[in-house]
Amino acid sequence: MNYKEALEKLQRFGQEHVLAYYDELNDSQKEELLSQIADTDFSVLSSCKDEIKENNKGQISPLKAMQLSEITNKKEEFIKIGMEAVKAGKVGAVLLAGGMGTRLGSDNPKGMYNIGITKDVYIFQRLIENLMDVVKSADAWVPLYVMTSDKNHTATVNFLKEHDYFGYNSDYITFFMQEMAPASDYEGLVYMEEKWKISTSPNGNGGWYSSMYKWGIAQKAMEDGVEWLNVFAVDNVLQRIADPCFVGAVIESGAACGSKVVRKCAPDEKVGVMCLEDGKPSIIEYYELTDELADAKDENGDPAYYFGVILNYLFKISDLEKIREKKLPLHIVEKKIPCLDKDGEKVKPEEPNGYKFEQLVLDMIHELDSCLPFEVERNKEFAPIKNKTGVDSVESARQLCKENGITL
Ligand code: UTP
C-alpha cells in the first residue's frame, strides 16, 4: 500500500491523524506504518460510537447441566469413550495464551508467572503437568496448539523451549498467533504507540479457530484425524485438559460442544452462566443477569441459572467449520492504553484512557445448536489467576493447589 492509498483508507474511517508524523519517519518506519494501515481493520472503531448498547439478548430459558451425581454414576462409561478418542488421536488441546494479563501486572506472558513457593512452578508448567496425567494414562500424546499474540509470541516460544517444554513432546506442540485489533480513545480515534505504529491489542479469545485456520493448523489437525478441540484458558492452574470423562460425556451426549461449569459460590459471583437463548445454548454474563433470572428456579426448586463457565470448552471441529466465517459480536473493553500524547511523547496511563475491541470464545457457543454443560468440582478444577492477591489470585490459587496436594 502506498501513501495515497493509506490516506484514502484512513479518510474513509476518519483516522487521518495516523499519518501525522509520516514526514519525520525513516524509510523502514514509513514502510512499517503503511503496511500496518493496510492490515488494520478500522471498522471496529466505529462501534464505540454506538457503544453502551441496549440489552439485545433473546428469550432466556434454563439449560440443564449434567451434574456431579449423574457424572459419578456414568463415570466409567464416559472415561472409556473419552480414553478411546484420546488414544486414537481424535482430541487436541488449544491453550489460549494470547491475552495481556494486565490485571496480574507482569510484563511477561502470564504462563511464565512463577507461582512456586519452595521451588519454581510456572503456570505453563502446571498446565503441562495436568495434561501429562492424561498423556500417561492414555499412553498417547495429545496435540497441543498454543495461541499467542504479537505481544507475547517470541517470549512464550522461547520460554517453553528453554524449559524443554516441561517434558512435553515438542513434536506435538504447535504455536499460532491470534489477530490484533486497534485500540482507541473514547471517541474512537485510534491511538499511536509510536510515530510509526498504531496501538493494537489482541482481539480477544473468540478468534482462536479462525486464526488456527489462517495458519493452516486447523486443516492439518483435521488431516491428522483430530475431531475434537478442548479449548482452555492459561490462568486456571487446576484445570483438567483433554479430560477423558468430559470428552466421553460430550461424545455420548451427541452435542456439538461441551462446557465445563461450576456451581456458583454465591448468587452474585462474577461468572457467566449457561442458559438457552432463543432455544440455542448461550452464556449470560453476570452483569446481564436480571433479579428475575437470578431468582428463577428449576423443576427441583434449585436456582435455574447457577452453573458458571470456567473457560474450558470442548468443540467438535466439524461444527466449528460451519461457523468459521461467522462474525462474532464485538465487546468493547475500557483499558489503559500506552500511547503518544498530543506532543508526540510516550505516556503509560495510570487510569483507563480508551477502548480495546474483543471477540469472545463464549459467543461461539451460541452459534452452535447444542452444548452440554458438564459440572466439575470447583475446588478441584478451578483455580484461576487473574490478580496478584484477593479473589482469583496467585494467593487463592496457591491455597487451592495446596488443598489438592500439589507442592509449590
Ligand atoms: P482474560 O479475559 O483473563 O484476559 O483471558 P487477559 O488478557 O488474559 O487478562 P486481563 O483481563 O488483561 O487481566 C482469558 C483467557 O483468554 C486468553 C487469555 O490468555 C486467557 O487464557 N486471551 C484473552 C487470549 O488468548 N487472547 C485475547 O485476546 C484475550
Side-chain angles (χ1 to χ4, degrees), residues 96-104 110 147 178 202-205 233-235 311 356 358 386:
L96 301 176
M100 299 281 279
T102 43
R103 283 169 285 175
L104 187 60
K110 209 186 232 187
M147 182 168 87
Q178 68 172 98
N203 70 343
N205 54 30
V234 72
D235 48 35
L311 220 175
K356 67 174 181 175
E358 292 193 333
K386 301 287 184 194

Side-chain angles (χ1 to χ4, degrees), residues 125-262:
Q125 178 181 359
R126 276 270 58 249
L127 298 174
I128 289 178
E129 280 169 3
N130 288 348
L131 182 54
M132 280 302 288
D133 290 345
V134 175
V135 168
K136 279 187 197 138
S137 49
D139 194 21
W141 292 98
V142 172
L144 174 62
Y145 308 98
V146 182
M147 182 168 87
T148 61
S149 86
D150 184 45
K151 305 268 180 198
N152 67 14
H153 183 77
T154 312
T156 303
V157 172
N158 291 346
F159 178 79
L160 286 170
K161 193 162 182 231
E162 272 159 28
H163 288 85
D164 205 14
Y165 306 96
F166 296 106
Y168 214 75
N169 182 342
S170 61
D171 292 347
Y172 288 85
I173 302 185
T174 314
F175 295 92
F176 66 102
M177 278 159 80
Q178 68 172 98
E179 322 272 297
M180 305 294 284
S184 78
D185 67 12
Y186 292 116
E187 304 304 317
L189 291 177
V190 70
Y191 274 125
M192 298 301 288
E193 194 172 303
E194 301 280 359
K195 291 181 176 176
W196 61 92
K197 199 164 184 222
I198 297 167
S199 291
T200 56
S201 195
N203 70 343
N205 54 30
W208 67 272
Y209 188 70
S210 63
S211 298
M212 238 180 122
Y213 194 88
K214 270 191 197 123
W215 281 62
I217 290 167
Q219 298 87 319
K220 171 83 173 52
M222 286 184 267
E223 275 165 37
D224 292 345
V226 178
E227 292 178 10
W228 296 89
L229 290 172
N230 181 199
V231 179
F232 62 101
V234 72
D235 48 35
N236 176 7
V237 290
L238 279 186
Q239 73 185 308
R240 310 308 307 164
I241 305 153
D243 170 3
C245 188
F246 177 44
V247 173
V250 177
I251 293 178
E252 211 254 355
S253 75
C257 68
S259 166
K260 285 203 168 182
V261 293
V262 291

Side-chain angles (χ1 to χ4, degrees), residues 34-74:
L34 293 180
S35 108
Q36 200 190 9
I37 295 169
D39 291 343
T40 300
D41 174 10
F42 293 99
S43 66
V44 296
L45 298 162
S46 56
S47 41
C48 67
K49 301 240 166 67
D50 34 66
E51 216 247 327
I52 320 313
K53 352 92 223 251
E54 60 298 358
N55 183 358
N56 46 12
K57 280 264 175 222
Q59 183 67 37
I60 302 296
S61 58
L63 171 62
K64 224 175 165 15
M66 182 181 272
Q67 300 186 22
L68 288 173
S69 51
E70 184 179 351
I71 295 168
T72 311
N73 286 339
K74 297 190 180 159

Side-chain angles (χ1 to χ4, degrees), residues 7 25 31-32 36 85 115 134 138 143 150 165 167 202 241 243 253 259 262 299 305 314-315 331 335 346 367:
L7 183 61
L25 308 180
E31 205 178 304
E32 195 178 327
Q36 200 190 9
I115 59 165
V134 175
D150 184 45
Y165 306 96
I241 305 153
D243 170 3
S253 75
S259 166
V262 291
E299 71 269 16
Y305 303 97
L314 185 72
F315 290 99
H331 295 254
K335 212 194 153 210
K346 279 191 191 183
E367 300 297 334

Side-chain angles (χ1 to χ4, degrees), residues 9-25:
K9 178 171 181 185
L10 293 170
Q11 280 168 338
R12 279 205 304 283
F13 296 100
Q15 306 285 345
E16 304 87 290
H17 63 286
V18 167
L19 288 168
Y21 302 104
Y22 190 77
D23 292 338
E24 293 176 29
L25 308 180

